Amino acid sequence: MRADRLLSLVLLLRHRGRMTASALARELEVSTRTVLRDVEALSAAGVPVYAERGREGGFALLPGFTTDLTGLTHDEAVALLTSRSRVTSEALGMGPAFTSAMAKLVAAMPDGARSRATDAADRVLVRRGGLIGEPEPDRHPEAVQRAVLSGHRLRIRYPSRGRPPTWRTVDPLGLVSAAGRWYLLALHDGADRTYRLSRITEAEELAEPAARPAGVDLEALWQRRRAEFLASHAGMRARLRIRSSRRAEVVRVATAGVTDVERQGEWLVVDVGFGDLTHAARVVWSLAVDAEALGPPELREAIRARAQRLVDTHS
């Protein structure tokens, strides 16, 4: 157990640089006194850990000390690093352990490989909450992925609203997987754009580098674009009676927020904004017996008709 902790301490310093004893103690979930003993043990074993005094001091490794991880290719590292989403590790109850493993992996990589892999991983995001619609088969994912991860411009053939597909050249910012769909976030003529991969009819990676601003926060960018999209598609409000345990699920798929109206034991009466009748009916149907559509009447009728078709099919 201690050997694993000592290795973790070295890899933390390798990855993050100078850290205080209290910061190391929090990361390793031990006391500050234990960290001091571990640092002393590492020094005695020949690991070049040194202390810096002062308010901004801490422990650090001598420059040039490496713990290179061999046998791991750039693509393999990217595959591991981009798998840090909630729908993978945290869904299995392994979030903390997975995060710790990824920190060790990143810290142990050679400097050049680590920089390239983490930069590529920052361009991919996986989230549960999407926009509106059912999952669809994606088109040309390989070409789009190559352009995103390599930092190259991308030429795509894509339809505008109500118009046939046309060619356009974009500067990729990142890829987002949400609710079973992949989206390309990019700049077109300097303006923010979101493209659904399932609607790209042709894609071609270009050799010229993409104009990607430094410090792009893909998570923040996606949340902003998603909020703008959902607000612009809030075409219908419905009143539902749902189990309180399903409220968070409804919030994720609503287009204009959820307003609590009344609590009835384990049930909630809520007003919800949806994109349209189809969107509302699909959400209510997915909640099964944990939801009842109270209004508008056309939503109740849509659910009733769908249920009747199911009964007729299996009668």
Side-chain angles (χ1 to χ4, degrees), residues 60-244:
L61 294 170
L62 285 176
F65 178 77
T66 62
T67 54
D68 290 348
L69 185 69
T70 60
L72 191 70
T73 69
H74 170 265
D75 289 344
E76 290 169 341
V78 170
L80 286 172
L81 291 168
T82 56
S83 67
R84 294 175 293 178
S85 70
R86 290 179 190 171
V87 295
T88 54
S89 58
E90 291 185 13
L92 298 175
M94 297 172 59
F98 199 81
T99 299
S100 175
M102 289 301 98
K104 293 177 182 179
L105 168 68
V106 172
M109 295 179 69
D111 289 336
R114 179 172 69 245
S115 176
R116 291 193 301 273
T118 54
D119 178 67
D122 286 341
R123 299 167 187 251
V124 181
L125 179 69
V126 181
R127 287 293 176 263
R128 287 194 184 97
L131 302 182
I132 298 174
E134 300 287 352
E136 299 171 342
D138 297 317
R139 299 178 181 177
H140 315 287
E142 295 85 4
V144 176
Q145 176 185 297
R146 284 197 307 269
V148 170
L149 298 184
S150 65
H152 290 165
R153 303 192 82 191
L154 184 66
R155 189 166 176 259
I156 60 174
R157 198 163 179 265
Y158 196 86
S160 299
R161 185 175 298 178
R163 298 182 179 180
T166 58
W167 283 101
R168 63 198 74 187
T169 300
V170 300
D171 296 290
L173 300 178
L175 279 169
V176 177
S177 173
R181 283 181 170 178
W182 279 97
Y183 300 89
L184 168 67
L185 273 57
L187 298 176
H188 181 233
D189 293 335
D192 285 351
R193 294 290 183 265
T194 302
Y195 302 100
R196 194 187 307 165
L197 260 64
S198 61
R199 300 184 64 193
I200 296 176
T201 59
E202 295 182 66
E204 176 186 356
E205 178 189 4
L206 303 180
E208 56 189 300
R212 187 179 192 267
V216 172
D217 185 337
L218 197 60
E219 171 77 42
L221 181 60
W222 168 250
Q223 293 300 339
R224 175 172 63 79
R225 293 198 185 179
R226 181 173 183 265
E228 292 171 352
F229 177 89
L230 295 180
S232 67
H233 286 73
M236 178 182 186
R237 291 202 69 83
R239 177 160 292 191
L240 310 180
R241 182 172 178 266
I242 61 173
R243 288 190 187 274
S244 56

